[in-house]
Structures are given as C-alpha cells and as structure tokens.
Amino acid sequence: MPAQSQIVHNNATNFSLYYNVLNYFKTIMTNHPSIAHVTQGDAFTIDNKEFPRYPVGNILITEANFGSNVTDYTIQLIIADKNKLKNNESVGETNAQEIPYYGVDDVVDIHANTLSVINDLTSYTQRSVEGFEIDGDIRCTPFLDRYDNGLTGWSATFDLKVHNDKNRCLFFN
C-alpha cells in the first residue's frame, strides 16, 4: 500500500485554486481506511486502463462559478466497489442453501459501506476545514452496473463554496 498523504490543513493555502480543491479531496480519500485507490476525472474511465484495488474513490469537479469573493465548485464524489457473488455453501446432508434475505451478491453491503464513506468525507469537509463550506444539501445517488466495469456504489454531488479574495495586487492598475 502506498504511503498515505498528510491530512490537509488550510494554513496559507489558497483553496480557490482548482488544483488545491482536487488535491484536498484526493488526500482525504487516500487517508480514509476504507478506500484503496483514488482517481480523478470522468468516472467512465475508472478501471479501463488498469486494475486498481477496491474500493475506489473518484473526484470530479463538474462546474465552477466566480462570485464577488467566493468560488463555487460543483463536486461529484464517487465511492465504488466491484460487486461479487456471495458463497452459498450447502448446509448439512440435505444440501439446503441458506441465502441471505437481501440477495446472493454483496450489493447491499457495498451500498451501505460506500454511503458511509461519503458521509465521512463530507462530514470532515463540513466540520474540519475552515477554507471550505458545503453549500446546501449533499445529493447522493446509488448505482449498480452504471459503468461497463461492474462497479457498484454511491455518487454524491454537492456545491462547495470557497473563499476567493481575488487579489488585485496581481494585476496592473
């Protein structure tokens, strides 16, 4: 497992920069104990070029708007895992199988775990980082086989408000 990144602190960091927003989410996902691989960009390319470890976390910034002293980003976080069939071992001499009430695969488990991870990531961002404010509700949508690579999990979309002082000293008067 690669060395974990340091926890992001907001001292002297310009969080309105695109790179810093990406790096922040990549760092907290890398440091989360339930995420094994972190990517960024279009989720349809996850697992097409390589076979990462699972679960996987993905960050995508879908929109940015400049206000008078803020930058509003629309963020999409995806936490996903490969769904697998459960082992239905026979019981006793009758060869009867005991199948859990929620199915023969681990989709329910994946949905429970990946939603919990999204809750961890967004809660940390809301309460532990002074440079960011999640503006409004966090919209979460479950998916199953949305992508061609057999991934199951949750997608969360939210608006992130970031202070932007738009320093006029950078421009000629």
Side-chain angles (χ1 to χ4, degrees):
M1 182 171 211
Q4 291 188 344
S5 300
Q6 295 295 318
I7 297 293
V8 173
H9 298 287
N10 60 337
N11 298 344
T13 300
N14 181 356
F15 281 117
S16 67
L17 294 177
Y18 182 83
Y19 286 124
N20 290 341
V21 174
L22 283 176
N23 289 339
Y24 166 78
F25 283 103
K26 288 167 64 175
T27 298
I28 65 170
M29 286 191 286
T30 299
N31 285 324
H32 195 283
S34 295
I35 298 176
H37 186 76
V38 176
T39 62
Q40 75 181 49
D42 185 4
F44 286 97
T45 63
I46 296 173
D47 198 26
N48 285 345
K49 297 177 185 164
E50 59 181 278
F51 297 98
R53 296 174 311 276
Y54 296 99
V56 63
N58 186 73
I59 168 76
L60 176 65
I61 298 175
T62 61
E63 188 174 85
N65 296 300
F66 294 120
S68 59
N69 63 346
V70 295
T71 302
D72 292 316
Y73 289 102
T74 302
I75 306 291
Q76 181 187 57
L77 296 180
I78 294 176
I79 308 298
D81 202 349
K82 289 272 192 184
N83 58 18
K84 301 164 278 310
L85 293 177
K86 292 188 175 197
N87 293 334
N88 294 317
E89 298 176 7
S90 60
V91 177
E93 297 174 2
T94 62
N95 206 26
Q97 291 185 341
E98 185 175 325
I99 298 174
Y101 70 92
Y102 48 81
V104 295
D105 58 24
D106 60 349
V107 170
V108 171
D109 296 330
I110 291 172
H111 278 152
N113 294 336
T114 55
L115 185 61
S116 178
V117 171
I118 286 176
N119 185 54
D120 292 345
L121 298 172
T122 55
S123 295
Y124 181 80
T125 301
Q126 285 175 311
R127 290 171 179 70
S128 299
V129 179
E130 292 181 21
F132 292 156
E133 178 184 336
I134 293 181
D135 193 24
D137 293 334
I138 300 164
R139 301 161 303 280
C140 299
T141 307
F143 59 88
L144 170 64
D145 293 331
R146 178 191 302 170
Y147 308 105
D148 292 336
N149 49 20
L151 293 177
T152 298
W154 283 84
S155 170
T157 304
F158 54 91
D159 297 321
L160 185 71
K161 190 175 290 297
V162 180
H163 175 72
N164 183 351
D165 65 4
K166 295 188 176 184
N167 189 345
R168 293 178 187 213
C169 294
L170 298 175
F171 305 103
F172 297 110
N173 290 328

